[in-house]
Amino acid sequence: MSGLAPRSRRALGRELTRLAQASVAESLAHSAQRPEPSMETARIGFTGAPGAGKSTLISRLARLRLAACRDQGGVAILGIDPTSPLTGGSILGDRIRMDAIANEPELYIRSLASRSSNDGLADNVLDLLVTVESYGFREVLLETVGVGQAEHAIRHSVDTLVMVLQPNAGDAIQAMKSGVLELADIYVINKADLPGAKKSASEIRGIVQRSQAAWRAPVIEISQQHGEGLAKLDSAISEHLAWQAEHRNASETLRRRRHYHVQSLIVRRVAELLDHRPQLLDTTNLAESYAEILQLLASDAKRYSRQEETGW
Ligand SMILES: Nc1nc2c(ncn2[C@@H]2O[C@H](COP(=O)(O)OP(=O)(O)O)[C@@H](O)[C@H]2O)c(=O)[nH]1
Ligand SMILES: [Mg+2]
């Protein structure tokens, strides 16, 4: 396939809109109707604080990624934007629509709000990824904000994780020193035209060098303004994907994804129950509220084990 026909583009757009708003019951019904994920599409995730420059970076990088896989299905970009942005980051779709790549037939771009999800991903991000993949793209570039548990959630959802940092991102570097952020496959010090970039890059290199991980994560300085570093990032992504194809255990990866998927469905279901039945909390007895929720989940379970039609 080379490029999505306009009609498939519209169908994909509608499916994503619907899925992004789906309840847990609806996403389960949807997943029962589609094929199992195949891992044929490469998923490349970009995380980092709002304003770090992820959308700008992705819009430039997409052109290079697309040049390499135009005849193999092309590239889809999925941006999960925070519902209420804290700082200057712009909506991915808006930024890219202004860019020259917007009219490429082999490129699909979609932004979605992160809604109630508190991990910086859309509630149904795994469903969204699988749906995009079912349209035959060679690569999906996924942008998310790095808040709370986002790094862990995205780690389980993608093949290659790129962390985008700004010079003097003191908090992120502190977090890395304490080991909590050592999750990415590639680190980008973005806005390398600003002061402090060299120092931040060498601090992160120091941390990465101490890591025991089999893959040595590269640290790449990039400035959008001078176009430096972009080609390096492009090759680093290709190298990591190739390294992974050789070294990882595919069934173990699918298991981990399923683990996150099942867990996130249950967490969302509990949140739905609490939202729809606030009276569950009208008690001073914590164990009682807990037991009532388990009972409601048990009645869900009966329904699913009978495979009732849930109406996607
Ligand atoms: N100085 C400088 N500014 C940049 C660079 N890349 C992006 N920006 C600016 O940083 C701001 C946030 O960029 P954006 O891509 O929307 O960040 P996101 O929230 O991480 O997606 C925008 O005003 C960009 O123009 C860069 O390399 N250097
Ligand atoms: Mg953005």
Side-chain angles (χ1 to χ4, degrees), residues 51 53-56 81-82 89-92 95 143 145:
K54 299 176 296 296
S55 297
T56 316
D81 286 296
S90 56
I91 301 289
L92 170 84
R95 179 163 286 281
E143 173 185 349
V145 289

Side-chain angles (χ1 to χ4, degrees), residues 2-312:
S2 181
L4 273 191
R7 192 190 280 175
S8 320
R9 228 167 237 272
R10 282 196 296 276
L12 173 55
R14 276 197 303 273
E15 206 171 330
L16 291 176
T17 302
R18 209 166 151 201
L19 255 186
Q21 296 161 359
S23 65
V24 169
E26 287 164 339
S27 31
L28 283 167
H30 180 261
S31 73
Q33 287 174 14
R34 63 160 193 240
E36 281 291 295
S38 67
M39 297 181 81
E40 273 163 26
T41 305
R43 300 175 175 183
I44 305 156
F46 296 81
T47 185
K54 299 176 296 296
S55 297
T56 316
L57 186 65
I58 291 172
S59 71
R60 308 270 165 94
L61 183 72
R63 193 197 307 269
L64 301 179
R65 302 306 299 170
L66 188 58
C69 69
R70 202 181 276 285
D71 302 330
Q72 301 154 53
V75 174
I77 305 178
L78 207 53
I80 310 295
D81 286 296
T83 317
S84 54
L86 301 173
T87 57
S90 56
I91 301 289
L92 170 84
D94 290 349
R95 179 163 286 281
I96 293 182
R97 264 185 278 282
M98 294 185 292
D99 200 275
I101 56 170
N103 295 319
E104 293 277 5
E106 292 87 6
L107 188 73
Y108 179 84
I109 305 163
R110 182 65 197 269
S111 285
L112 294 157
S114 57
R115 284 181 71 234
S116 69
S117 170
N118 59 8
D119 60 11
L121 294 175
D123 283 343
N124 300 343
V125 71
L126 285 165
D127 299 310
L128 297 168
L129 282 168
V130 174
T131 299
V132 167
E133 287 165 3
S134 71
Y135 281 74
F137 294 100
R138 180 71 192 91
E139 292 191 351
V140 182
L141 311 181
L142 173 72
E143 173 185 349
T144 77
V145 289
V147 291
Q149 291 301 303
E151 274 77 17
H152 296 276
I154 193 177
R155 177 67 283 178
H156 294 305
S157 313
V158 301
D159 300 304
T160 296
L161 181 57
V162 180
M163 183 166 296
V164 183
L165 298 162
Q166 310 189 56
N168 303 314
D171 291 354
I173 293 174
Q174 279 311 318
M176 284 183 70
K177 280 184 181 154
S178 58
V180 297
L181 271 185
E182 219 182 289
L183 284 169
D185 303 305
I186 297 169
Y187 293 90
V188 167
I189 307 296
N190 204 21
K191 309 193 184 183
D193 51 295
L194 301 182
K198 287 260 171 290
K199 182 165 175 283
S200 299
S202 73
E203 277 183 307
I204 292 172
R205 274 188 201 108
I207 297 166
V208 168
Q209 271 158 19
R210 289 200 299 275
S211 160
Q212 304 293 314
W215 164 260
R216 174 63 53 85
V219 180
I220 301 170
E221 292 159 58
I222 297 187
S223 161
Q224 310 297 325
Q225 292 179 339
H226 306 115
E228 292 162 13
L230 204 60
K232 263 193 203 159
L233 174 61
D234 182 39
S235 336
I237 290 171
S238 301
E239 275 163 36
H240 182 257
L241 288 170
W243 180 87
Q244 206 172 42
E246 217 171 287
H247 291 87
R248 88 169 156 198
N249 176 337
S251 63
E252 183 51 35
T253 303
L254 280 173
R255 258 187 85 80
R256 260 192 287 117
R257 283 185 189 166
R258 173 135 310 189
H259 178 136
Y260 170 65
H261 207 162
V262 170
Q263 185 181 316
S264 71
L265 284 168
I266 291 174
V267 169
R268 274 174 59 209
R269 183 62 189 137
V270 171
E272 280 178 6
L273 291 170
L274 287 170
D275 284 351
H276 296 153
R277 300 175 197 230
Q279 67 276 16
L280 284 170
L281 300 172
D282 290 346
T283 165
T284 48
N285 188 338
L286 202 55
E288 203 178 298
S289 295
Y290 179 75
E292 282 189 41
I293 288 171
L294 289 184
Q295 255 159 25
L296 290 166
L297 290 175
S299 65
D300 272 11
K302 276 201 202 102
R303 206 150 22 109
Y304 285 108
S305 58
R306 287 203 306 270
Q307 306 252 316
E308 273 179 18
E309 190 50 61
T310 40
W312 164 252

